Structure formats: C-alpha cells, structure tokens
Amino acid sequence: MWGRRRRTEQRRQAVADRSQWWTPNELRKRVLDTWDIGLDAAACAESALVDTWLGPTNPVHERTDARLVVWADLVEPGQVVYCNPPYYPTSLLVQFLKLCAETASHGTGVIGLLPASPCAGWWVRWVADAGAQVEFLPGRLRYEGPFSSGGVAPFGAALVHWPARG
C-alpha cells in the first residue's frame, strides 16, 4: 500500500515538474512592455511576472490553485491577466484555457503563452472559437526554469490574447 501511494505521488510530482516551463526572459520583457499585467495566473515565486500571482507555491493558501480563484477579482480595471499555463497533462491545460476564455468574456483580458497547436481540439475550442487573437512566435522558445530541458522546446509557441468582452 505504501509503495503504491509513493509511486502515485512520484508520478504526480513528475507531471507537475514537467509543467514548470517558465516564460523566457526576452518574452517576459516584451509582455510587460506591451500590456499592463495585473496578475500572473500560473506561476511560482521565482517565475511570476508581477507581484500578484497564483500558483502552488503561493504563501497565501487560497491562491495556490488558480482554478479556484476568480482572476478578474485580483486585477485593477484596464489591467490584463497573464497565463503561461501548465502544458501537461492536456486536461489541466484545457482547464486553464477555459478560465482564460471565461475571464475575457466577463470583461478582463487575458494574454496566454501556449504551445502552438492549431489542429488540436483544445485549440479550436478555447482559442479559435473563443475569438482569441493569435501571434505565432518564430522558431522554438528556450524556456526558463529548473525543469525546462535547457534546450529549445520540442514545439512551437504562440502568444494568445483573449480581449475583454462583456
């Protein structure tokens, strides 16, 4: 029994570690220069773009799971939310994309850094059908963070903007 629990926890941690691909420094600067970011909705203390952030290492317990927080409540009028969501597992990515689209439909814009997958069902539903604006980034990004591969990503990326509506 103990061994099974330990293996389950190790698999869960491996997935969490694999999802910590921090926004590259040059892209961080560009995002911060372009938009008034009020919240980083998927971060850790070391990777957050701004002082207000949500993520598993947040010292405020209520802010450790971004899926349980109303993002718009944490930004000032006119500010936008930034989200570099976990890419794995896909089911978790989809939960974050749904929140991105919903936040925009309630009047707060969202900027997301996503794997560029325009043929994927999740992309069609939560990016294309949600009316998001897409900028495909050239080449492959070199993500930051302790769990990035150190090389370039094995996929292309895009900056996705869900403009505020509603």
Side-chain angles (χ1 to χ4, degrees):
M1 180 70 131
W2 167 251
R4 186 179 326 152
R5 272 193 227 151
R6 187 167 155 240
R7 284 189 303 275
T8 299
E9 177 58 25
Q10 287 172 334
R11 280 193 301 272
R12 187 197 63 74
Q13 187 60 48
V15 168
D17 290 349
R18 201 171 150 208
S19 292
Q20 289 195 40
W21 290 36
W22 302 350
T23 304
N25 286 329
E26 66 278 358
L27 192 56
R28 292 168 62 93
K29 181 177 178 356
R30 182 171 156 221
V31 166
L32 290 169
D33 289 347
T34 305
W35 292 282
D36 183 10
I37 306 295
L39 170 69
D40 190 334
C44 62
E46 299 85 4
S47 70
L49 268 68
V50 293
D51 290 338
T52 305
W53 58 277
L54 303 171
T57 61
N58 196 305
V60 178
H61 177 71
E62 293 78 19
R63 294 185 178 189
T64 58
D65 190 342
R67 298 167 299 169
L68 304 176
V69 178
V70 177
W71 298 354
D73 289 349
L74 300 175
V75 299
E76 299 295 323
Q79 290 184 321
V80 297
V81 174
Y82 178 75
C83 186
N84 177 3
Y87 300 162
Y88 307 104
T90 304
S91 60
L92 185 57
L93 171 63
V94 167
Q95 291 173 39
F96 273 85
L97 295 179
K98 180 179 179 192
L99 287 169
C100 291
E102 288 175 352
T103 299
S105 71
H106 290 108
T108 300
V110 180
I111 305 299
L113 176 59
L114 305 178
S117 298
C119 295
W122 59 262
W123 180 281
V124 172
R125 180 164 186 192
W126 299 111
V127 177
D129 290 350
Q133 301 163 358
V134 178
E135 176 191 349
F136 291 100
L137 300 172
R140 304 238 170 140
L141 295 181
R142 185 178 304 272
Y143 287 82
E144 307 288 333
F147 302 106
S148 66
S149 63
V152 295
F155 49 81
L159 271 179
V160 177
H161 180 212
W162 291 267
R165 299 184 317 271

